[in-house]
Amino acid sequence: FVPLYAQIMDNFSDGNFTENPTWEGTTANFIINDAKQLQLNAENSGESSIYTSTDFQKEMEWQFFIKLNFSPSTSNLTRIYLQSDNIDMLRSSGYFLEIGETGSADALKFYRQDNGSKTLLATGTLGTVANNSTITIRISRNNNANWQIFADYLGGTNLVLEATANDATYTQEGVYTFGFYCKYTATRINHFFFDNISIRPLNE
């Protein structure tokens, strides 16, 4: 059971992910490192996810920091599930942002997912996440289902608009899952970092 939070603010300064808020999933494969960041720390190649539940409204804003110490690819990628109707995020319906494709044109990609089947809604600037990535990302959705994706590719607070989309498929208010999914090879088992997570109603 995951306690419900109407608003999520977590920078892991308390040194854990077991309370305020409570994160679940393949938690044995994650740690809070000395820099007070959530870090993947798996033993072998594979897939891991960590998630929490919150009460979503039609107008929302998500912000988070990501650091990937590698060049993303289809073998080493992350998805940030903003709004998932199931803790089994890969098979759920909702929305996610993905970082990870092979080649030099890697970009932030925003998808809608329908029972596990993904549809691309928006793409950021090509090449921005082709190499080691340290990014702050903010995504908003207003009452008209207009999505905006902002990013600072230096990991700071100078966020600029990267992409927009309009999609109202899943705007029903209620309890949803927010989480991180990591797919990785044996050389990337501890190279994913997440921090400074903020989920709240838009303009609050």
Side-chain angles (χ1 to χ4, degrees):
F1 172 73
V2 179
L4 180 63
Y5 298 90
Q7 184 169 312
I8 300 289
M9 302 286 287
D10 204 347
N11 61 8
F12 305 105
S13 59
D14 58 4
N16 70 66
F17 49 75
T18 56
E19 57 184 359
N20 300 319
T22 301
W23 296 81
E24 293 193 339
T26 46
T27 54
N29 290 344
F30 291 88
I31 60 170
I32 306 302
N33 63 23
D34 291 341
K36 294 294 191 287
Q37 297 169 325
L38 177 66
Q39 180 180 353
L40 179 70
N41 191 43
E43 292 186 359
N44 302 296
S45 61
E47 303 172 52
S48 296
S49 60
I50 191 166
Y51 57 82
T52 190
S53 295
T54 190
D55 191 4
F56 285 112
Q57 301 178 14
K58 285 187 177 180
E59 296 191 292
M60 292 294 294
E61 179 184 273
W62 300 260
Q63 185 164 317
F64 41 87
F65 169 89
I66 296 176
K67 182 178 180 182
L68 304 175
N69 277 348
F70 54 89
S71 297
S73 68
T74 52
S75 299
N76 290 285
L77 62 84
T78 187
R79 290 181 179 177
I80 304 90
Y81 278 86
L82 307 176
Q83 178 184 342
S84 169
D85 69 354
N86 196 307
I87 59 174
D88 185 357
M89 295 183 291
L90 292 182
R91 294 169 179 81
S92 68
S93 295
Y95 300 95
F96 69 85
L97 189 75
E98 182 174 274
I99 303 173
E101 58 184 308
T102 301
S104 59
D106 288 24
L108 298 177
K109 292 197 170 180
F110 180 57
Y111 292 90
R112 184 185 76 237
Q113 184 169 284
D114 309 291
N115 296 317
S117 177
K118 67 181 187 178
T119 300
L120 181 64
L121 299 179
T123 301
T125 304
L126 299 181
T128 48
V129 291
N131 299 310
N132 294 6
S133 301
T134 301
I135 321 167
T136 300
I137 299 169
R138 182 172 73 241
I139 302 173
S140 65
R141 179 184 65 205
N142 68 13
N143 200 43
N144 296 318
N146 290 318
W147 297 81
Q148 292 186 307
I149 302 169
F150 300 83
D152 180 344
Y153 293 105
L154 297 177
T157 57
N158 184 29
L159 292 116
V160 297
L161 183 63
E162 275 287 287
T164 61
N166 181 272
D167 191 281
T169 306
Y170 303 113
T171 56
Q172 181 69 34
E173 297 182 347
V175 180
Y176 290 93
T177 296
F178 170 89
F180 300 104
Y181 162 79
C182 304
K183 178 183 179 182
Y184 45 88
T185 59
T187 57
R188 303 288 184 260
I189 56 175
N190 57 359
H191 288 216
F192 295 69
F193 304 83
F194 308 97
D195 203 1
N196 298 334
I197 299 156
S198 169
I199 307 169
R200 61 184 182 179
L202 187 63
N203 300 321
E204 205 173 83

